[in-house]
Amino acid sequence: MNQTFSKDEKIFNVVNVIFMIFFLAIIALPLWNIVALSFNDATDAARGGIYFWPREFSLESYYTVFEDSAIYKAFVISVAKTVIGVLLHTALTAMVAYGMSRRNLIGRKLYMNMGILTMFVSGGMIPTFLLFKQLGLLNNFWVYIIPVLFSFYDMVILMNFFRSIPYSLEESAMMDGANPFTIFVKIILPLSLPVLATIALLHGVFQWNDYMTANIYVDDRSLYPLQMLLFRIVSENLSPAVATGTNVVRNTTSQSLQLATMVVTTVPVVVIYPFLQKYFIQGMTLGSVKE
């Protein structure tokens, strides 16, 4: 069937395309410039004039980055806290959301009001630091996991999706003798993969990019994630070797190593995101459905 557009709609579409191209350009071009500089010879890059393509291709900066054992340790910490954090966060948030989606839950309005309050009011940095100290979370790997096990915002997205699932499915399962946990695991979760993937992706990106937790609560360098190591390299204008106490023998500069480290820390998310994009878009749409 042919679809016709009015003059105003055509103008709007053209303006929208131009805006998107401009928006992508101001984001993509600086990122591409970082990649080009990181693959250029460090001494030559210091002369400037490199924008879209390396002038003298070189992998020296990447060789230096990967020679540093601290990079591997930080990578393991980042992967571990992202994988463990995503699994536990998604599972706990989904269980709470399933309970909150039941309108016959006793005290449901009170729980909702308490959850909404936490979205606008917090205890502050110093009380939080003292609490973590009493709980033994300082310089502890679990400081990356436990404080963000649950998110009320994510719970609301999941709760709204669970409400859209016909209750007749649960009634049929109960007639067959299934308990609530069995219904949740074998019926609700399989039907909720798109929105669960959305929550997992959002929390995974947060975990991977988070450096403030390590910056405030972790002094042990062996527990530094990649982003915290990158933060020290960039903020203190150090090379990875200086930041971690190792020696660099290759012909590199502090700036070239910073750029190479940026690329290394960004690649995993860039590679994974396209595979989850369809679930992300579908999950955000489904999770916004209201009764």
Side-chain angles (χ1 to χ4, degrees):
M1 185 171 73
N2 295 330
Q3 185 177 8
T4 58
F5 296 95
S6 65
K7 184 178 180 180
D8 292 339
E9 289 176 333
K10 292 180 179 179
I11 294 175
F12 175 79
N13 291 334
V14 171
V15 172
N16 191 34
V17 170
I18 294 174
F19 174 78
M20 290 301 298
I21 294 174
F22 174 75
F23 184 74
L24 290 174
I26 62 176
I27 294 178
L29 291 181
L31 293 177
W32 183 252
N33 180 248
I34 290 175
V35 175
L37 286 169
S38 68
F39 280 103
N40 198 86
D41 179 76
T43 304
D44 178 71
R47 294 164 43 203
I50 299 174
Y51 302 104
F52 304 111
W53 198 255
R55 187 165 49 220
E56 294 185 14
F57 185 83
S58 174
L59 296 174
E60 290 292 304
S61 297
Y62 287 94
Y63 287 146
T64 303
V65 168
F66 287 111
E67 280 181 348
D68 186 2
S69 61
I71 293 292
Y72 296 100
K73 294 179 182 178
F75 182 79
V76 171
I77 292 295
S78 292
V79 171
K81 79 186 190 75
T82 300
V83 173
I84 297 174
V86 165
L87 292 177
L88 295 181
H89 173 86
T90 306
L92 179 62
T93 305
M95 286 190 287
V96 176
Y98 177 62
M100 293 293 291
S101 66
R102 305 300 92 185
R103 295 190 180 277
N104 58 353
L105 177 67
I106 299 176
R108 179 178 175 277
K109 289 186 178 180
L110 174 63
Y111 301 147
M112 287 295 296
N113 291 332
M114 292 173 60
I116 293 173
L117 182 64
T118 62
M119 298 178 67
F120 300 98
V121 180
S122 66
M125 184 178 295
I126 294 177
T128 302
F129 182 89
L130 296 176
L131 175 62
F132 287 2
K133 183 178 181 180
Q134 291 182 347
L135 294 175
L137 291 177
L138 300 186
N139 289 319
N140 191 322
F141 173 80
W142 290 101
V143 74
Y144 300 126
I145 308 298
I146 295 177
V148 290
L149 270 179
F150 176 77
S151 168
F152 186 78
Y153 175 81
D154 292 346
M155 190 277 294
V156 171
I157 295 176
L158 286 168
M159 180 185 68
N160 288 327
F161 179 83
F162 291 158
R163 287 182 183 175
S164 66
I165 298 176
Y167 186 68
S168 58
L169 294 175
E170 299 182 43
E171 290 180 331
S172 299
M174 286 187 288
M175 292 178 62
D176 292 334
N179 57 43
F181 184 78
T182 302
I183 295 173
F184 174 70
V185 173
K186 294 187 176 182
I187 296 178
I188 302 300
L189 292 184
L191 294 174
S192 308
L193 290 181
V195 71
L196 291 174
T198 301
I199 300 302
L201 178 62
L202 291 174
H203 191 69
V205 171
F206 163 77
Q207 283 283 11
W208 184 264
N209 291 328
D210 178 41
Y211 71 92
M212 282 303 298
T213 301
N215 191 30
I216 298 173
Y217 306 115
V218 177
D219 294 327
D220 186 356
R221 292 184 179 182
S222 65
L223 292 176
Y224 278 178
L226 269 176
Q227 300 300 334
M228 181 58 194
L229 187 63
L230 175 61
F231 172 75
R232 291 198 67 235
I233 292 171
V234 175
S235 64
E236 300 177 17
N237 196 29
L238 302 174
S239 70
V242 176
T244 57
T246 58
N247 294 321
V248 173
V249 296
R250 295 185 179 275
N251 181 25
T252 58
T253 64
S254 176
Q255 183 185 23
S256 68
L257 294 175
Q258 290 174 14
L259 297 174
T261 307
M262 289 182 188
V263 174
V264 170
T265 57
T266 306
V267 164
V269 175
V270 174
V271 171
I272 294 174
Y273 181 78
F275 296 99
L276 298 177
Q277 182 180 13
K278 62 178 181 179
Y279 295 108
F280 177 77
I281 297 174
Q282 184 180 3
M284 289 298 291
T285 303
L286 295 174
S288 64
V289 174
K290 304 291 189 300
E291 284 188 352

